Amino acid sequence: MTRINLVVDGMRVADDIEPRMLLVQYLREKLGKTGTVVGCDTSNCGACTVHLDGRSVKSCNVLAVQADGSEVTTIEGLAQNGQLHPVQEAFRECHGLQCGFCTPGMIMQSVDLLKDNPKPTEEEIRLGIEGNLCRCTGYHNIVRAVQHASGQPVAPNEVTA
Amino acid sequence: MIPAPFDYVAPTSLDEALAALREHGDEAKILAGGQSLLPVLRMRLNAPEWIIDLGRIDSLRGIREEGDAIVIGAMTPHSVVGNDPLVAQHAGLISAAVERLADVQVRHRGTFGGALAHADPAGDLGGPARALGAVFVIAGAGGMRQVDADDFFVDLFETAIGEDEILVEVRIPKHTGWGSRYEKFVRVEHQWPICAVAATVRVEGGTVTGAGVGLTNMGSTPIRARGVEEALVGQPASAESFAAAAGRAVEGTNPPTDLNGSAEYRLHLAQVLTRRALAAAAGLGEG
Ligand SMILES: Cc1cc2nc3c(=O)[nH]c(=O)nc-3n(C[C@H](O)[C@H](O)[C@H](O)COP(=O)(O)OP(=O)(O)OC[C@H]3O[C@@H](n4cnc5c(N)ncnc54)[C@H](O)[C@@H]3O)c2cc1C
Ligand code: FES
Ligand code: FES
């Protein structure tokens, strides 16, 4: 067992854990933060994306012990005082989801993208979320949601090549 | 899946890490960013008894200028390397390749040294390291030693780093003023290349006066395409000379056949991508 101390969604936590425990397991199974989901077993889908010290990571590909002393933000920590985060609002507004499984990761990655690049082009958005897979939407409404969240005009609702 | 149980140590200095490695020998595995190692452990393809995490050793992180080289600490994350102005100015080929490597989240965690130490023949950094003549600084019981890129890559997932050694930093000879291009051919944007070509060229007065070309996934290690380089230097920087030189990209290669393509297909791709990469590096557009 190894002792870890960290801050998750603004709350200080400490636990004795097995070193092999993945960060996503720690969040879900120890802290009950099931908003962060597991979509694959290969670190490909991005559904488990959280912020570790302010940068997006795939929490299924980080050991919880590696997060010792760090600050973690999950999808559950984005809303403040009952107000959804602007990116959460935009996903709702633009219908940026269907089944919703990829959504926590998509939103966390979009927040990371907008931090670096507040006014991304459509191509920059698509590249920025290249590590997040969606099986439902074909990405169009997700891209629109990110455009909307960044205060830019949203791409027209037509099928392009 | 989750990894098999292991014991974990996170030393805060290189000396402590080397001591831990000596103590646990071949029962230990080094953890850098974990972006290749953790998937391996989770699939139980490997089950070391000890994990030695380099993540708490600050001296292994960072980028600096030292004489005629840019020095990149082994634990510097891809995202930092990719955004570094010194790297962009003096080793633009590295910036170009890092930008195409994996996805944003993986680039936040994965490290420059970890990717090179992993020595996946499809890894995006091997080709650029060979094209630029990188020098690998490795620490062991006897102190530090330096290994040239030509000798660093030994075989599939095998490098010159010994079992009780740690890659500390990589020195990239400055290629200031050289043009560069990383041509990566993939089916899925955030995946490893089916084939990739790293090219950097210096053009003076319309003549190619320097060329470095590295090939990815064209054999069990990244390959330096010396035939292409020889064919180019002294030639005019023209579409014709790039096309002629690109024909030599197949020399010394032994590409794999897999679900993504046959060896013959890769031999064809390597030539096309080399022509494109050279033209773009020389500023002639896409070729
Ligand atoms: C979804 C996904 C997509 C990816 N796509 C790409 C891609 O397109 N192109 C690409 O090139 N890579 C890709 N990668 C791999 C990525 O580049 C990894 O960052 C890299 O291969 C390993 O770096 P790391 O720091 O995570 O090392 P780790 O995974 O921690 O370690 C890798 C290996 O190197 C050894 N090692 C690490 N550091 C040292 C050191 N300093 N000294 C000695 N040994 C050391 C470890 O023991 C281990 O065997 C991808 C990974 C994922 C999860
Ligand atoms: S669950 Fe982490 S990337 Fe798919
Ligand atoms: S909404 Fe179903 S996977 Fe994206």
Side-chain angles (χ1 to χ4, degrees):
Chain A
M1 290 293 197
T2 303
R3 184 85 180 157
I4 57 168
N5 284 279
L6 63 164
V7 174
V8 180
D9 293 337
M11 217 178 64
R12 190 164 288 286
V13 292
D15 271 298
D16 291 311
I17 56 160
E18 267 193 282
R20 64 168 165 163
M21 181 175 253
L22 304 172
L23 179 58
V24 71
Q25 258 184 300
Y26 178 69
L27 295 172
R28 288 176 58 85
E29 295 169 20
K30 281 270 186 182
L31 303 183
K33 292 199 174 271
T34 50
T36 303
V37 296
V38 177
C40 71
D41 223 352
T42 51
S43 309
N44 268 284
C45 75
C48 63
T49 301
V50 302
H51 296 178
L52 181 56
D53 291 328
R55 299 309 345 211
S56 60
V57 301
K58 293 178 171 176
S59 62
C60 72
N61 217 19
V62 176
L63 296 172
V65 283
Q66 289 178 289
D68 181 28
S70 293
E71 207 166 305
V72 175
T73 307
T74 77
I75 187 74
E76 297 182 41
L78 275 192
Q80 295 294 327
N81 308 319
Q83 280 294 114
L84 288 185
H85 185 280
V87 176
Q88 290 175 306
E89 281 287 1
F91 269 70
R92 186 174 69 179
E93 190 62 32
C94 299
H95 199 65
L97 59 141
Q98 287 178 24
C99 81
F101 201 82
C102 68
T103 314
M106 282 289 180
I107 290 178
M108 295 312 286
Q109 184 50 33
S110 301
V111 172
D112 184 89
L113 166 67
L114 293 176
K115 196 160 55 180
D116 276 350
N117 184 355
K119 301 275 179 215
T121 63
E122 178 180 340
E123 199 192 340
E124 287 167 347
I125 295 171
R126 289 184 184 275
L127 277 177
I129 57 171
E130 72 188 290
N132 294 71
L133 304 182
C134 175
R135 291 285 148 166
C136 304
T137 64
Y139 302 96
H140 289 297
N141 282 358
I142 292 174
V143 172
R144 290 192 186 102
V146 181
Q147 285 172 324
H148 186 69
S150 67
Q152 302 185 92
V154 168
N157 192 6
E158 56 190 40
V159 179
T160 47
Chain B
M1 275 178 49
I2 58 167
F6 53 76
D7 285 317
Y8 172 87
V9 52
T12 52
S13 75
L14 181 60
D15 284 342
E16 285 172 65
L18 286 168
L21 204 49
R22 269 196 302 279
E23 184 182 343
H24 302 298
D26 55 8
E27 282 159 9
K29 199 85 185 121
I30 285 171
L31 176 67
Q35 299 305 291
S36 291
L37 184 59
L38 292 178
V40 165
L41 299 187
R42 283 159 54 200
M43 285 185 239
R44 308 271 174 121
L45 298 174
N46 196 341
E49 284 177 26
W50 280 88
I51 288 289
I52 303 171
D53 183 358
L54 303 184
R56 314 266 163 197
I57 309 177
D58 290 338
S59 64
L60 294 179
R61 250 188 300 271
I63 298 168
R64 63 181 197 276
E65 198 172 2
E66 213 176 270
D68 56 4
I70 296 299
V71 187
I72 305 178
M75 287 296 290
T76 313
H78 299 309
S79 55
V80 171
V81 175
N83 288 317
D84 189 84
L86 277 178
V87 176
Q89 189 187 347
H90 301 293
L93 187 53
I94 298 282
S95 317
V98 166
E99 189 181 315
R100 297 295 308 278
L101 182 156
D103 54 49
V104 179
Q105 293 97 315
V106 171
R107 292 198 293 270
H108 283 149
R109 290 297 294 172
T111 66
F112 192 73
L116 288 163
H118 190 55
D120 184 335
D124 282 306
L125 299 181
R130 293 218 56 188
L132 292 167
V135 176
F136 294 80
V137 181
I138 300 169
M144 300 278 187
R145 64 188 182 103
Q146 300 203 346
V147 177
D148 287 339
D150 292 345
D151 303 318
F152 180 76
F153 299 100
V154 176
D155 204 345
L156 284 172
F157 302 105
E158 195 186 331
T159 69
I161 305 171
E163 274 201 344
D164 53 359
E165 290 184 316
I166 291 174
L167 176 63
V168 172
E169 59 195 23
V170 183
R171 306 175 63 89
I172 317 279
K174 282 186 189 165
H175 285 62
T176 320
W178 292 49
S180 31
R181 176 69 158 211
Y182 189 64
E183 278 289 332
K184 172 170 174 173
F185 199 84
V186 273
R187 287 179 58 233
V188 178
E189 180 62 27
H190 73 263
Q191 289 292 356
W192 290 261
I194 296 169
C195 169
V197 176
T200 189
V201 295
R202 185 178 56 204
V203 178
E204 288 165 311
T207 301
V208 178
T209 57
V213 180
L215 309 177
T216 296
N217 217 7
M218 288 298 290
S220 58
T221 64
I223 290 168
R224 181 154 188 180
R226 293 212 189 269
V228 177
E229 297 174 3
E230 275 165 29
L232 266 185
V233 174
Q235 297 299 311
S238 67
E240 294 73 38
S241 32
F242 294 144
R248 297 188 60 181
V250 298
E251 288 174 13
T253 63
N254 181 19
T257 289
D258 59 26
L259 283 177
N260 286 317
S262 62
E264 295 77 60
Y265 177 63
R266 284 191 165 86
L267 289 170
H268 170 72
L269 262 185
Q271 297 176 64
V272 174
L273 298 179
T274 300
R275 175 169 54 75
R276 287 184 191 160
L278 291 171
L284 296 193
E286 294 287 317

